[in-house]
Amino acid sequence: GAGVSQSPSNKVTEKGKDVELRCDPISGHTALYWYRQSLGQGLEFLIYFQGNSAPDKSGLPSDRFSAERTGGSVSTLTIQRTQQEDSAVYLCASSSRQGAEAFFGQGTRLTVV
Amino acid sequence: GESVGLHLPTLSVQEGDNSIINCAYSNSASDYFIWYKQESGKGPQFIIDIRSNMDKRQGQRVTVLLNKTVKHLSLQIAATQPGDSAVYFCAETPNTGGFKTIFGAGTRLFVKA
């Protein structure tokens, strides 16, 4: 499709396991964002990729979180040794350069049990 | 500043009334602003945008007002309907620093029938 695609849509994992969340942005969009949203709360910025520039990782909550973007397209957010407080919806968004509208995926709901 | 998962403030309005949602933005270098609507279980979606060379922009039933002097943005929804119930986020994009979009904390709008 033409929108931002995230997979899986739901993920249940055991505490201590590693998880990978995938984001396929809109083709041609150079900017890609990851956010985390806990139930009933706002958007918590995690990381921002813009073209070939070094990513802005200032929002990553701990060194258990990492993200990469391969070939300027697909991005993977990895959470190592998951904890219960990591349970949330993880949203990905992409936009064209110059700060245009961001298009969001449906999110991945992560539950750590 | 960047949203860090704050508990959302709530605005409750009667169906048919006008709603006004306010947002204070942080960066005087921001020159592009967007309002997003997030319905339950979905990612945020674009409603309306405005650039810093304007102070008002109108869409269908929605109006965005920008006051650069006090760094304030508002979203007005005319004749609010039950389908308008959602969380509303403002977002700013500066013309520096890689054009990273920053989201506000969000406001939950509840429309009473």
Side-chain angles (χ1 to χ4, degrees):
Chain A
V4 177
S5 178
Q6 291 187 246
S7 61
S9 54
N10 282 283
K11 176 71 176 179
V12 180
T13 190
E14 293 181 348
K15 178 181 173 182
K17 299 285 189 183
D18 297 351
V19 294
E20 286 189 351
L21 312 180
R22 177 186 170 105
C23 173
D24 285 86
I26 293 173
S27 178
H29 279 191
T30 57
L32 187 148
Y33 302 81
W34 282 99
Y35 294 90
R36 179 168 71 176
Q37 188 173 35
S38 299
L39 185 64
Q41 296 190 354
L43 300 174
E44 179 186 3
F45 167 75
L46 296 178
I47 189 167
Y48 166 60
F49 297 90
Q50 172 59 275
N52 295 321
S53 302
D56 179 340
K57 304 179 182 181
S58 60
L60 295 178
S62 77
D63 60 8
R64 296 187 296 105
F65 288 73
S66 63
E68 60 180 28
R69 189 178 185 191
T70 54
S73 181
V74 173
S75 178
T76 302
L77 177 69
T78 301
I79 309 173
Q80 295 179 310
R81 304 181 302 282
T82 52
Q83 304 295 314
Q84 287 185 328
E85 60 262 29
D86 299 334
S87 296
V89 175
Y90 290 81
L91 289 161
C92 174
S94 71
S95 72
S96 58
R97 189 176 164 78
Q98 301 292 337
E101 170 191 357
F103 293 82
F104 281 82
Q106 293 287 77
T108 294
R109 181 176 299 279
L110 176 66
T111 304
V112 182
V113 297
Chain B
E2 303 198 36
S3 173
V4 289
L6 301 173
H7 191 70
L8 297 173
T10 298
L11 174 65
S12 184
V13 299
Q14 197 69 39
E15 180 180 1
D17 288 351
N18 297 334
S19 304
I20 300 176
I21 301 171
N22 296 303
C23 176
Y25 65 93
S26 58
N27 192 338
S28 57
S30 291
D31 65 353
Y32 181 57
F33 305 87
I34 302 176
W35 280 100
Y36 289 88
K37 174 185 180 182
Q38 185 179 28
E39 296 176 294
S40 181
K42 299 181 180 179
Q45 290 189 302
F46 171 93
I47 301 175
I48 190 168
D49 60 358
I50 189 168
R51 297 210 175 263
S52 59
N53 60 349
M54 303 173 69
D55 54 19
K56 180 179 180 178
R57 190 162 188 224
Q58 289 185 294
Q60 186 178 14
R61 285 202 304 117
V62 294
T63 300
V64 55
L65 299 177
L66 174 64
N67 185 329
K68 295 181 287 294
T69 302
V70 295
K71 293 191 285 187
H72 185 267
L73 197 65
S74 68
L75 177 70
Q76 300 178 359
I77 304 174
T80 314
Q81 302 170 359
D84 296 326
S85 294
V87 176
Y88 291 82
F89 294 97
C90 65
E92 59 179 304
T93 303
N95 55 14
T96 59
F99 308 98
K100 186 179 81 175
T101 295
I102 298 170
F103 281 79
T107 297
R108 183 179 303 280
L109 176 65
F110 178 69
V111 181
K112 296 177 287 187

